[in-house]
Every structure is written in structure tokens, then in C-alpha cells.
Amino acid sequence: MTKEELKSALEGLIPVEGGAVSGAAADGDSPKGAAADGAAVFEEGAEWLTMKIASGDWSTYARLLRHTPGLSFDYLFCVTGVDWRTHFTMVYHLTSTVHRQVLVVKARLDHDHPVIDTVSDIWRTAEFHEREVYDLMGVIFTGHPDLRRLFMTDDWKGWPLRKDYEDPINMIKL
Amino acid sequence: MIEELATTDAGEMVVNVGPQHPSTHGVLHLVITLRGETIRKVEPHLGYIHRSIEKMCESLSYRQFIYVTSRMDYLSSHINNHACALCVEKGLQVELPARAKVIRVLMDELTRLASHQLWWGAMAMDVGALTPFFHAFREREAINDIMEETCGARLTMNYMVPGGVMADLHPNFQKRVKDFIHLFRSKIDEYDELVTGNVIFRSRMEGVGRLSAADAISYGCTGPTARGSGVRCDIRKLAPYEIYDQLQFEEPLETGGDCFARYLVRMREMRQSLSIIEQLIDNIPQGDFQAKTKAVLKLPKGEFYSRVETARGEFGVYIISEGGMTPYRIKFRSPGFSNLSALDHMARGYKIGDLVAIMGTLDLVIPDIDR
């Protein structure tokens, strides 16, 4: 499935804003997340088709992406949290073992209250990946069955992968 | 092995295995809930070797950060380095000389062989056969010697750099690799005679730790773990990099989904790697081993993702660049992390003795999981 075919398949499925964000500026840092009315926005210029959505829509869209026959995104291979100082971006890399197309979904989260729905009930692998993001980035996944620290000890203070994190004892900035 | 015992109200016993336990092959801590000898739940506790490599890389240049990645999956260090180099090259849009590509693939496959050899020895040792370990290490030593000659290191090679490889092949390389292939062709048959057909070994492996194809996909399993359940997931086939699309090799698939299926996949993969090396060793093109790159690398603003197939599965490097000399954010998608997440599901209902066999066939490398 080519990028264009995937794009048109998605447009039939979820509300998408017409104008795509273009060029290399189309990263998580651009002030624009999803469109104001909550419609998804496609990003051009990347290797794979990238779709920006409003964080509140994620669990609904995730279910659609997983269960729509022509798409069947059954394999979530990478979950990343990015701290942009003013906001967070959650990046989900999805692919299908049937159709082999790749889709990147990005959701913008508020910096003071980074909250997004869990998808661990859709893709089991998300359970560990989301725990990792919570542990290192401090993003809360609502509905996660077991949201605890994963690498750090239970009484650890702070979120090590955030940009403003300072630890004078365990220095990780070289 | 047993640090503390506790019995719950339901008559279940909680047993801690690790973080210092021979069968976990590293500092993995498992909290196992048992009823009698039957496993009810396995809960991995991670982080004993967490070094926050992702954060560290944010302050390292694009030439430096590759060296840290050798310390993640130390048995596939070439392939980790390869993924990082590929990702940086995507950003720089450098075209590699043909010689560099072939050297990289040769090194990757030798690494895969060495990794699988170690796994085979350790796996057999886990289920009680000590001799195979010495056989495996004898042959693995030959690969380490080849690596040492060309890369100057035996474990953390740091040989792949953005634009190609660090140095040209040692003049002895071709001859020594050919000698090794000749030797290993007969040894791998010996491996099969020694272990694969063994009745005790098979009874420990067959029907144990079943993982269905749907679960393997849902848990994000890759590599031999998923291929043992019949899931096609070899990145060398699905998204070929370097010259893998020009090579003749097959992706071994087994449908059993049990420990023995995963075992067979790895044994077949070793033969495939041998065949790839044989195809290339007489056809290493002449020319440069490195493309010309600037001394200080700067990636353009944007995002770059590279995927490669390590000995354990899919390894991904995700770089977010703001245009500077260091990555703004870097994410490593390690195969062991996702494979481990399926352990609880695979082990439930089996006996505690089976857990060692199941963990063995997952081929866990803990620094790769903790990062």
C-alpha cells in the first residue's frame, strides 16, 4: 500500500483537515497540533505517512486503525514520548503484518498535565512501552492496568527524560 | 535463588528469581507467583542496569553516540551500530560505497552467528546440558578472533561509522572467514546431533511456552521469537537495507510456537547466515570503505527512523533532530524489551522448571532491555 493509498483510506475513516502541514518544519515542535476542530492533520516530508491527532481522540482512532479490515494495524512497534518544553508529543509507530504499510500517529499533550488514553488493551505491547514512557517522561496513561515505575525505583523523584530534569548525583548529561 | 518466600491467602507462593541468577543471563529480577509448581504470574522487575542511554545520547554528537549503543545488546553490537549509522546516513543523505555495504552485511551476519552460538550454548546449559556450552564457545572464539583482527575489539566493536566502516578489512579476513565457514559447516551438524535430536532436550522444549501468532504480534515480538510462531517479521526481507535485497536467503518460519520451534528457527538462521557470508566473501567489491563525510556532522531538522534485524529481532533507532550537532531526542526500540513483555503470557500455566527453558528461547540480553 503506498502512502497516497493509505492517506485516502484514512480520509474515508476519520475526519481529516484538508491542508496538510508540509516540509521539514512538520515536526512535533510546530505550534499546530491537530486542527482546531479536532480533525486529524497529515504531515508531509517524512519517510512514512504521519498523522497528527487530538489526544482525546486517540483511543477511538486506535480502535479504528486496529480493526478496520483494509488497514488492520496490528503491530505497534515503537512508542515514544518527546518533551518539547512547551508541550509533549506522543509518537506511535504502527504497521500491519497483513498489508505492511506504516503509519506514524502523533498526539500533542499539555505540559502541565500530560494525559492520554492507554492503548494497552488494543496492542498488548503498549503495556510495557507506556510504563516506560510514564517512568522516564511522566506521561499519565488513563486506563493502564499497571502504571508503575519500570526502570527507576518506586521512590524515585522526577522524570529523567524531561528536558528540565537535573540530578546532581546521578549525572546523565555528559 | 530464593531470596524470600511469602504465601498469599489464596495458597500461592511468591518466589523471587534474580537479579543474580545464572538462568536470567544478567540482572533480571522476576517475581513469580506459584501455586504448587505451576506458574500463575511472572512479573519482571527491570532497571538494574538502566543507564539512561537515551538521555546520554542527547548530549553526544552523531559520531559519538554510536559507541554507547554497543553497550546495549552487547552480543549484536555491530548490528546496533549499523542501525545508528543508517539513521544518521538517512539524515545526511549519504550514499555508501559498495565495499562498505558488503563489509557491513558480512559483519552483521558474523555477529548474528556469534550471537546465536552463544545462545545455543547457554540455552542447552539452562536446561541441564553443560557440554554444548564449550562447543559453542570454541566456534564463537573463531569469530571473535576475526573481529579482533579487523575491528580491534572482540565484543564492543564500534566498527560502523556514519558513511561506512571505521577501517578497511584486515588482509587475513577473507581467508579466515573461509576457514571458519568450512569449520562451522561441519560443526553445526554436530550441534544438531548433540542437542536437537536429544530426547531429554526435546521433552523439555516441545509444547512448552506456547505463543500464538496473534499474541506474538500483539506483544510486539520480533525475531526468532515471533518467527517460531509463524509470523513473518524479518526486516531484512520486509524493508531491506544495504544489499539484503540482492542476496539469496530465506526467512526460517516454524509454526509450533513453542520453545522447540524458536530453537529450530535459530538453528536454521545460523545456516542462512552462513550462506549469506558464502555468497559475499568472494565478491567483496574493491574501492573505498567509507564515503566522504564532514568531520562534524549536523543533521537537518526533522525525524529519521531506521530499522534493522538483530539476532534478537527488530531494532529501531528514532532520531528527532533540531538541526544541531546532537540529537534533540533519540529513542531506541530494542527487541528484547518487547519480547520480554510476552514472558508472563507465555509462562502462565507451565511449571517453574519450564520458565528457564522459556527464558532461554527468548534469548534475553538485559542491557538491551534496560538501556
Side-chain angles (χ1 to χ4, degrees), chain B residues 13-69:
Chain B
M13 191 164 62
V14 179
V15 180
N16 284 282
V17 174
Q20 302 289 345
H21 187 269
S23 80
T24 59
H25 301 293
V27 280
L28 177 66
H29 177 195
L30 299 174
V31 179
I32 308 168
T33 309
L34 294 169
R35 192 180 189 100
E37 268 194 82
T38 309
I39 297 169
R40 303 299 291 265
K41 193 174 150 201
V42 181
E43 197 187 327
H45 284 223
L46 307 174
Y48 289 90
I49 192 164
H50 176 67
R51 295 145 291 179
S52 208
I53 284 180
E54 290 174 10
K55 181 87 170 181
M56 239 187 252
C57 290
E58 285 176 13
S59 50
L60 293 174
S61 78
Y62 290 113
R63 285 198 190 281
Q64 290 169 328
F65 89 97
I66 295 179
Y67 300 102
V68 188
T69 59

Short mmCIF file of all heavy atoms in Angstrom, two decimals, chain B residues 13-69:
data_model
loop_
_atom_site.label_atom_id
_atom_site.label_comp_id
_atom_site.label_asym_id
_atom_site.label_seq_id
_atom_site.Cartn_x
_atom_site.Cartn_y
_atom_site.Cartn_z
N MET B 13 2.38 -18.97 46.37
CA MET B 13 3.68 -18.64 46.91
C MET B 13 4.39 -17.66 45.97
O MET B 13 4.30 -17.80 44.76
CB MET B 13 4.52 -19.91 47.05
CG MET B 13 5.77 -19.71 47.84
SD MET B 13 6.48 -21.28 48.37
CE MET B 13 6.85 -22.05 46.84
N VAL B 14 5.04 -16.68 46.55
CA VAL B 14 5.75 -15.70 45.74
C VAL B 14 7.25 -15.97 45.84
O VAL B 14 7.80 -16.04 46.94
CB VAL B 14 5.44 -14.27 46.20
CG1 VAL B 14 6.21 -13.26 45.37
CG2 VAL B 14 3.96 -14.01 46.12
N VAL B 15 7.88 -16.18 44.71
CA VAL B 15 9.30 -16.51 44.68
C VAL B 15 10.03 -15.46 43.87
O VAL B 15 9.60 -15.09 42.78
CB VAL B 15 9.54 -17.90 44.05
CG1 VAL B 15 11.03 -18.21 44.03
CG2 VAL B 15 8.78 -18.96 44.79
N ASN B 16 11.13 -14.97 44.41
CA ASN B 16 11.97 -14.04 43.66
C ASN B 16 13.08 -14.80 42.95
O ASN B 16 13.80 -15.58 43.58
CB ASN B 16 12.62 -13.04 44.61
CG ASN B 16 11.63 -11.99 45.06
OD1 ASN B 16 11.33 -11.07 44.31
ND2 ASN B 16 11.11 -12.14 46.25
N VAL B 17 13.22 -14.60 41.68
CA VAL B 17 14.34 -15.16 40.93
C VAL B 17 15.17 -13.98 40.45
O VAL B 17 14.65 -13.07 39.81
CB VAL B 17 13.87 -16.00 39.73
CG1 VAL B 17 15.05 -16.44 38.90
CG2 VAL B 17 13.10 -17.20 40.21
N GLY B 18 16.45 -14.02 40.73
CA GLY B 18 17.31 -12.92 40.32
C GLY B 18 17.26 -11.80 41.33
O GLY B 18 16.65 -11.93 42.36
N PRO B 19 17.88 -10.65 41.09
CA PRO B 19 18.60 -10.29 39.86
C PRO B 19 19.94 -11.00 39.65
O PRO B 19 20.54 -10.80 38.60
CB PRO B 19 18.82 -8.79 40.04
CG PRO B 19 18.78 -8.54 41.50
CD PRO B 19 17.85 -9.54 42.05
N GLN B 20 20.38 -11.80 40.60
CA GLN B 20 21.63 -12.53 40.37
C GLN B 20 21.30 -14.01 40.27
O GLN B 20 21.33 -14.72 41.25
CB GLN B 20 22.61 -12.28 41.53
CG GLN B 20 22.95 -10.84 41.77
CD GLN B 20 23.83 -10.27 40.69
OE1 GLN B 20 24.41 -11.01 39.90
NE2 GLN B 20 23.92 -8.96 40.62
N HIS B 21 20.97 -14.44 39.08
CA HIS B 21 20.62 -15.84 38.90
C HIS B 21 21.17 -16.30 37.56
O HIS B 21 20.99 -15.61 36.56
CB HIS B 21 19.09 -16.00 38.94
CG HIS B 21 18.66 -17.42 38.92
ND1 HIS B 21 18.39 -18.08 37.76
CD2 HIS B 21 18.48 -18.33 39.92
CE1 HIS B 21 18.04 -19.33 38.04
NE2 HIS B 21 18.08 -19.50 39.34
N PRO B 22 21.84 -17.47 37.54
CA PRO B 22 22.51 -17.88 36.29
C PRO B 22 21.58 -17.95 35.09
O PRO B 22 21.98 -17.64 33.97
CB PRO B 22 23.06 -19.26 36.63
CG PRO B 22 22.98 -19.42 38.08
CD PRO B 22 22.04 -18.40 38.64
N SER B 23 20.32 -18.34 35.29
CA SER B 23 19.48 -18.56 34.11
C SER B 23 18.87 -17.27 33.57
O SER B 23 18.29 -17.27 32.49
CB SER B 23 18.36 -19.54 34.44
OG SER B 23 17.34 -18.88 35.12
N THR B 24 18.98 -16.17 34.30
CA THR B 24 18.45 -14.93 33.74
C THR B 24 19.49 -14.22 32.88
O THR B 24 19.18 -13.22 32.25
CB THR B 24 17.98 -13.97 34.85
OG1 THR B 24 19.09 -13.68 35.70
CG2 THR B 24 16.86 -14.55 35.65
N HIS B 25 20.72 -14.75 32.84
CA HIS B 25 21.77 -14.21 31.97
C HIS B 25 21.92 -12.71 32.12
O HIS B 25 21.92 -11.97 31.15
CB HIS B 25 21.51 -14.55 30.51
CG HIS B 25 21.44 -16.02 30.27
ND1 HIS B 25 22.53 -16.82 30.40
CD2 HIS B 25 20.41 -16.83 29.96
CE1 HIS B 25 22.19 -18.07 30.16
NE2 HIS B 25 20.90 -18.11 29.89
N GLY B 26 22.01 -12.26 33.33
CA GLY B 26 22.14 -10.83 33.54
C GLY B 26 21.29 -10.43 34.72
O GLY B 26 20.72 -11.28 35.39
N VAL B 27 21.17 -9.14 34.93
CA VAL B 27 20.49 -8.68 36.13
C VAL B 27 18.99 -8.47 35.88
O VAL B 27 18.49 -7.37 35.89
CB VAL B 27 21.14 -7.41 36.69
CG1 VAL B 27 22.37 -7.76 37.46
CG2 VAL B 27 21.49 -6.44 35.57
N LEU B 28 18.31 -9.56 35.65
CA LEU B 28 16.85 -9.52 35.50
C LEU B 28 16.24 -10.08 36.78
O LEU B 28 16.68 -11.10 37.29
CB LEU B 28 16.42 -10.36 34.30
CG LEU B 28 14.91 -10.47 34.06
CD1 LEU B 28 14.33 -9.13 33.69
CD2 LEU B 28 14.63 -11.47 32.95
N HIS B 29 15.25 -9.41 37.29
CA HIS B 29 14.60 -9.83 38.52
C HIS B 29 13.17 -10.21 38.19
O HIS B 29 12.41 -9.41 37.67
CB HIS B 29 14.66 -8.67 39.53
CG HIS B 29 13.97 -8.94 40.82
ND1 HIS B 29 13.66 -7.95 41.70
CD2 HIS B 29 13.55 -10.09 41.39
CE1 HIS B 29 13.06 -8.48 42.75
NE2 HIS B 29 12.99 -9.78 42.58
N LEU B 30 12.83 -11.47 38.47
CA LEU B 30 11.46 -11.92 38.21
C LEU B 30 10.79 -12.24 39.54
O LEU B 30 11.36 -12.92 40.37
CB LEU B 30 11.47 -13.19 37.35
CG LEU B 30 12.09 -13.09 35.96
CD1 LEU B 30 12.13 -14.46 35.33
CD2 LEU B 30 11.30 -12.15 35.08
N VAL B 31 9.59 -11.73 39.71
CA VAL B 31 8.78 -12.10 40.87
C VAL B 31 7.72 -13.06 40.36
O VAL B 31 6.86 -12.70 39.55
CB VAL B 31 8.14 -10.86 41.52
CG1 VAL B 31 7.30 -11.27 42.72
CG2 VAL B 31 9.22 -9.88 41.94
N ILE B 32 7.81 -14.30 40.81
CA ILE B 32 6.95 -15.35 40.27
C ILE B 32 5.92 -15.75 41.32
O ILE B 32 6.26 -16.00 42.47
CB ILE B 32 7.78 -16.59 39.88
CG1 ILE B 32 8.93 -16.16 38.98
CG2 ILE B 32 6.93 -17.61 39.19
CD1 ILE B 32 9.94 -17.24 38.79
N THR B 33 4.67 -15.77 40.91
CA THR B 33 3.62 -16.26 41.79
C THR B 33 3.31 -17.70 41.40
O THR B 33 3.01 -17.98 40.24
CB THR B 33 2.35 -15.39 41.65
OG1 THR B 33 2.74 -14.03 41.81
CG2 THR B 33 1.34 -15.74 42.70
N LEU B 34 3.43 -18.58 42.39
CA LEU B 34 3.27 -20.00 42.11
C LEU B 34 2.12 -20.59 42.89
O LEU B 34 1.80 -20.13 43.99
CB LEU B 34 4.53 -20.76 42.55
CG LEU B 34 5.84 -20.50 41.83
CD1 LEU B 34 6.96 -21.15 42.61
CD2 LEU B 34 5.78 -21.07 40.44
N ARG B 35 1.50 -21.57 42.30
CA ARG B 35 0.58 -22.42 43.08
C ARG B 35 1.11 -23.82 42.93
O ARG B 35 1.04 -24.40 41.85
CB ARG B 35 -0.83 -22.31 42.52
CG ARG B 35 -1.82 -22.93 43.45
CD ARG B 35 -3.23 -22.81 42.91
NE ARG B 35 -4.15 -23.22 43.96
CZ ARG B 35 -4.82 -22.37 44.73
NH1 ARG B 35 -4.72 -21.09 44.55
NH2 ARG B 35 -5.61 -22.84 45.67
N GLY B 36 1.68 -24.35 44.00
CA GLY B 36 2.45 -25.58 43.86
C GLY B 36 3.65 -25.27 42.99
O GLY B 36 4.40 -24.35 43.26
N GLU B 37 3.79 -26.02 41.90
CA GLU B 37 4.89 -25.75 40.99
C GLU B 37 4.43 -24.98 39.76
O GLU B 37 5.23 -24.69 38.87
CB GLU B 37 5.52 -27.07 40.53
CG GLU B 37 6.67 -27.53 41.40
CD GLU B 37 7.45 -28.62 40.72
OE1 GLU B 37 8.29 -28.28 39.89
OE2 GLU B 37 7.20 -29.80 41.01
N THR B 38 3.14 -24.70 39.69
CA THR B 38 2.59 -24.09 38.48
C THR B 38 2.67 -22.57 38.57
O THR B 38 2.32 -21.98 39.58
CB THR B 38 1.13 -24.53 38.30
OG1 THR B 38 1.09 -25.95 38.39
CG2 THR B 38 0.60 -24.10 36.95
N ILE B 39 3.09 -21.99 37.47
CA ILE B 39 3.26 -20.53 37.43
C ILE B 39 1.90 -19.86 37.23
O ILE B 39 1.16 -20.19 36.30
CB ILE B 39 4.23 -20.13 36.30
CG1 ILE B 39 5.61 -20.73 36.57
CG2 ILE B 39 4.31 -18.62 36.17
CD1 ILE B 39 6.55 -20.62 35.41
N ARG B 40 1.57 -18.93 38.10
CA ARG B 40 0.35 -18.16 37.93
C ARG B 40 0.64 -16.80 37.32
O ARG B 40 -0.20 -16.22 36.62
CB ARG B 40 -0.35 -17.95 39.28
CG ARG B 40 -0.68 -19.24 40.01
CD ARG B 40 -1.63 -20.12 39.20
NE ARG B 40 -2.96 -19.56 39.10
CZ ARG B 40 -3.96 -19.87 39.91
NH1 ARG B 40 -3.78 -20.77 40.84
NH2 ARG B 40 -5.14 -19.32 39.76
N LYS B 41 1.81 -16.29 37.61
CA LYS B 41 2.12 -14.94 37.15
C LYS B 41 3.63 -14.73 37.20
O LYS B 41 4.29 -15.18 38.14
CB LYS B 41 1.43 -13.93 38.07
CG LYS B 41 1.41 -12.51 37.55
CD LYS B 41 0.57 -11.67 38.50
CE LYS B 41 1.07 -10.24 38.51
NZ LYS B 41 0.66 -9.54 39.73
N VAL B 42 4.16 -14.07 36.21
CA VAL B 42 5.57 -13.69 36.22
C VAL B 42 5.65 -12.18 36.04
O VAL B 42 5.09 -11.64 35.08
CB VAL B 42 6.37 -14.36 35.07
CG1 VAL B 42 7.83 -13.95 35.14
CG2 VAL B 42 6.24 -15.85 35.13
N GLU B 43 6.30 -11.54 36.96
CA GLU B 43 6.38 -10.08 36.87
C GLU B 43 7.84 -9.66 36.79
O GLU B 43 8.57 -9.79 37.77
CB GLU B 43 5.72 -9.49 38.12
CG GLU B 43 5.36 -8.04 37.98
CD GLU B 43 4.88 -7.49 39.31
OE1 GLU B 43 4.26 -8.25 40.09
OE2 GLU B 43 5.15 -6.32 39.56
N PRO B 44 8.30 -9.19 35.64
CA PRO B 44 9.69 -8.77 35.54
C PRO B 44 9.91 -7.41 36.21
O PRO B 44 9.09 -6.51 36.06
CB PRO B 44 9.94 -8.67 34.03
CG PRO B 44 8.71 -9.14 33.36
CD PRO B 44 7.60 -9.07 34.35
N HIS B 45 10.97 -7.30 36.97
CA HIS B 45 11.39 -6.02 37.54
C HIS B 45 12.67 -5.61 36.84
O HIS B 45 13.66 -6.31 36.91
CB HIS B 45 11.62 -6.14 39.05
CG HIS B 45 10.36 -6.19 39.83
ND1 HIS B 45 10.18 -5.49 41.00
CD2 HIS B 45 9.19 -6.82 39.60
CE1 HIS B 45 8.95 -5.71 41.46
NE2 HIS B 45 8.34 -6.52 40.63
N LEU B 46 12.62 -4.48 36.18
CA LEU B 46 13.76 -4.08 35.35
C LEU B 46 14.51 -2.92 35.99
O LEU B 46 14.10 -2.40 37.02
CB LEU B 46 13.27 -3.65 33.96
CG LEU B 46 12.39 -4.64 33.22
CD1 LEU B 46 11.87 -4.03 31.94
CD2 LEU B 46 13.14 -5.90 32.92
N GLY B 47 15.59 -2.54 35.35
CA GLY B 47 16.27 -1.32 35.75
C GLY B 47 17.57 -1.51 36.49
O GLY B 47 18.21 -0.54 36.85
N TYR B 48 17.99 -2.75 36.72
CA TYR B 48 19.23 -2.96 37.47
C TYR B 48 20.45 -2.50 36.66
O TYR B 48 21.52 -2.27 37.22
CB TYR B 48 19.39 -4.42 37.88
CG TYR B 48 18.41 -4.82 38.96
CD1 TYR B 48 17.16 -5.32 38.63
CD2 TYR B 48 18.74 -4.66 40.29
CE1 TYR B 48 16.26 -5.66 39.62
CE2 TYR B 48 17.85 -4.99 41.28
CZ TYR B 48 16.61 -5.49 40.94
OH TYR B 48 15.71 -5.81 41.92
N ILE B 49 20.29 -2.44 35.35
CA ILE B 49 21.42 -1.95 34.54
C ILE B 49 20.95 -0.82 33.63
O ILE B 49 21.47 -0.61 32.54
CB ILE B 49 22.12 -3.12 33.79
CG1 ILE B 49 23.46 -2.68 33.21
CG2 ILE B 49 21.21 -3.75 32.74
CD1 ILE B 49 24.36 -3.79 32.82
N HIS B 50 19.96 -0.07 34.11
CA HIS B 50 19.47 1.08 33.34
C HIS B 50 20.48 2.22 33.45
O HIS B 50 20.79 2.67 34.53
CB HIS B 50 18.12 1.52 33.88
CG HIS B 50 17.57 2.74 33.22
ND1 HIS B 50 17.18 2.74 31.91
CD2 HIS B 50 17.38 3.99 33.66
CE1 HIS B 50 16.76 3.94 31.59
NE2 HIS B 50 16.87 4.72 32.63
N ARG B 51 20.98 2.65 32.28
CA ARG B 51 21.98 3.72 32.30
C ARG B 51 21.44 4.99 31.66
O ARG B 51 22.16 5.94 31.48
CB ARG B 51 23.24 3.27 31.54
CG ARG B 51 23.94 2.13 32.22
CD ARG B 51 24.55 1.19 31.21
NE ARG B 51 23.55 0.47 30.47
CZ ARG B 51 23.83 -0.40 29.51
NH1 ARG B 51 25.06 -0.63 29.17
NH2 ARG B 51 22.86 -1.02 28.87
N SER B 52 20.18 4.96 31.26
CA SER B 52 19.56 6.08 30.59
C SER B 52 20.35 6.49 29.35
O SER B 52 20.73 7.65 29.18
CB SER B 52 19.40 7.27 31.54
OG SER B 52 18.31 8.04 31.12
N ILE B 53 20.58 5.51 28.50
CA ILE B 53 21.38 5.75 27.30
C ILE B 53 20.72 6.79 26.40
O ILE B 53 21.39 7.61 25.78
CB ILE B 53 21.62 4.41 26.56
CG1 ILE B 53 22.69 3.62 27.32
CG2 ILE B 53 22.04 4.62 25.12
CD1 ILE B 53 23.05 2.30 26.75
N GLU B 54 19.37 6.80 26.38
CA GLU B 54 18.67 7.76 25.52
C GLU B 54 19.00 9.20 25.94
O GLU B 54 19.21 10.08 25.11
CB GLU B 54 17.17 7.50 25.55
CG GLU B 54 16.79 6.21 24.84
CD GLU B 54 15.34 5.83 24.96
OE1 GLU B 54 14.54 6.65 25.44
OE2 GLU B 54 14.98 4.71 24.57
N LYS B 55 19.02 9.42 27.25
CA LYS B 55 19.34 10.76 27.75
C LYS B 55 20.80 11.11 27.49
O LYS B 55 21.14 12.22 27.09
CB LYS B 55 19.05 10.82 29.25
CG LYS B 55 19.31 12.16 29.90
CD LYS B 55 18.11 13.06 29.79
CE LYS B 55 18.27 14.30 30.64
NZ LYS B 55 17.09 15.16 30.55
N MET B 56 21.65 10.11 27.70
CA MET B 56 23.09 10.31 27.47
C MET B 56 23.35 10.75 26.03
O MET B 56 24.15 11.64 25.79
CB MET B 56 23.78 8.96 27.67
CG MET B 56 24.84 8.91 28.73
SD MET B 56 25.63 7.32 28.62
CE MET B 56 25.02 6.55 30.07
N CYS B 57 22.63 10.12 25.10
CA CYS B 57 22.86 10.39 23.69
C CYS B 57 22.46 11.82 23.31
O CYS B 57 22.94 12.35 22.32
CB CYS B 57 22.07 9.41 22.82
SG CYS B 57 22.74 7.75 22.90
N GLU B 58 21.57 12.42 24.11
CA GLU B 58 21.15 13.78 23.79
C GLU B 58 22.29 14.78 23.91
O GLU B 58 22.21 15.89 23.40
CB GLU B 58 19.98 14.19 24.70
CG GLU B 58 18.68 13.53 24.31
CD GLU B 58 17.54 13.85 25.27
OE1 GLU B 58 17.69 14.76 26.09
OE2 GLU B 58 16.50 13.18 25.18
N SER B 59 23.34 14.40 24.64
CA SER B 59 24.47 15.32 24.74
C SER B 59 25.70 14.79 24.02
O SER B 59 26.80 15.29 24.21
CB SER B 59 24.78 15.61 26.21
OG SER B 59 24.88 14.40 26.91
N LEU B 60 25.51 13.78 23.17
CA LEU B 60 26.64 13.26 22.40
C LEU B 60 26.45 13.60 20.92
O LEU B 60 25.33 13.66 20.44
CB LEU B 60 26.73 11.74 22.56
CG LEU B 60 27.10 11.22 23.95
CD1 LEU B 60 26.99 9.70 23.97
CD2 LEU B 60 28.49 11.64 24.33
N SER B 61 27.57 13.77 20.23
CA SER B 61 27.47 14.11 18.81
C SER B 61 27.09 12.85 18.02
O SER B 61 27.10 11.75 18.53
CB SER B 61 28.80 14.66 18.31
OG SER B 61 29.69 13.60 18.09
N TYR B 62 26.75 13.08 16.74
CA TYR B 62 26.31 11.96 15.90
C TYR B 62 27.42 10.96 15.63
O TYR B 62 27.15 9.85 15.20
CB TYR B 62 25.73 12.48 14.58
CG TYR B 62 24.41 13.18 14.79
CD1 TYR B 62 24.29 14.54 14.59
CD2 TYR B 62 23.30 12.47 15.22
CE1 TYR B 62 23.08 15.19 14.79
CE2 TYR B 62 22.09 13.10 15.43
CZ TYR B 62 21.99 14.47 15.21
OH TYR B 62 20.80 15.10 15.42
N ARG B 63 28.65 11.31 15.84
CA ARG B 63 29.72 10.32 15.74
C ARG B 63 29.90 9.58 17.07
O ARG B 63 30.24 8.41 17.08
CB ARG B 63 31.04 10.99 15.36
CG ARG B 63 31.09 11.39 13.91
CD ARG B 63 32.52 11.63 13.46
NE ARG B 63 32.54 12.25 12.15
CZ ARG B 63 32.37 11.58 11.02
NH1 ARG B 63 32.16 10.28 11.04
NH2 ARG B 63 32.39 12.22 9.87
N GLN B 64 29.67 10.28 18.15
CA GLN B 64 29.94 9.68 19.47
C GLN B 64 28.87 8.71 19.93
O GLN B 64 29.17 7.70 20.55
CB GLN B 64 30.09 10.79 20.52
CG GLN B 64 31.34 11.61 20.36
CD GLN B 64 31.32 12.85 21.23
OE1 GLN B 64 30.27 13.42 21.49
NE2 GLN B 64 32.48 13.27 21.68
N PHE B 65 27.60 9.02 19.63
CA PHE B 65 26.54 8.26 20.29
C PHE B 65 26.52 6.80 19.87
O PHE B 65 26.04 5.94 20.61
CB PHE B 65 25.17 8.93 20.08
CG PHE B 65 24.43 8.49 18.83
CD1 PHE B 65 23.47 7.50 18.90
CD2 PHE B 65 24.70 9.07 17.63
CE1 PHE B 65 22.78 7.09 17.76
CE2 PHE B 65 24.01 8.68 16.48
CZ PHE B 65 23.06 7.69 16.56
N ILE B 66 27.09 6.52 18.70
CA ILE B 66 27.10 5.14 18.21
C ILE B 66 27.87 4.22 19.17
O ILE B 66 27.50 3.07 19.37
CB ILE B 66 27.68 5.10 16.79
CG1 ILE B 66 26.75 5.87 15.86
CG2 ILE B 66 27.87 3.68 16.31
CD1 ILE B 66 27.21 5.95 14.43
N TYR B 67 28.91 4.77 19.79
CA TYR B 67 29.72 3.93 20.67
C TYR B 67 28.95 3.47 21.89
O TYR B 67 29.22 2.41 22.43
CB TYR B 67 30.99 4.68 21.08
CG TYR B 67 31.83 5.08 19.89
CD1 TYR B 67 31.83 6.37 19.39
CD2 TYR B 67 32.58 4.11 19.23
CE1 TYR B 67 32.56 6.69 18.27
CE2 TYR B 67 33.31 4.43 18.11
CZ TYR B 67 33.30 5.74 17.63
OH TYR B 67 34.01 6.04 16.52
N VAL B 68 28.03 4.27 22.33
CA VAL B 68 27.24 3.89 23.51
C VAL B 68 26.34 2.70 23.18
O VAL B 68 26.07 1.85 24.02
CB VAL B 68 26.39 5.08 24.01
CG1 VAL B 68 25.75 4.75 25.33
CG2 VAL B 68 27.24 6.31 24.14
N THR B 69 25.88 2.65 21.93
CA THR B 69 24.90 1.62 21.58
C THR B 69 25.52 0.23 21.55
O THR B 69 24.79 -0.76 21.59
CB THR B 69 24.25 1.92 20.23
OG1 THR B 69 25.26 1.97 19.23
CG2 THR B 69 23.50 3.22 20.26
#
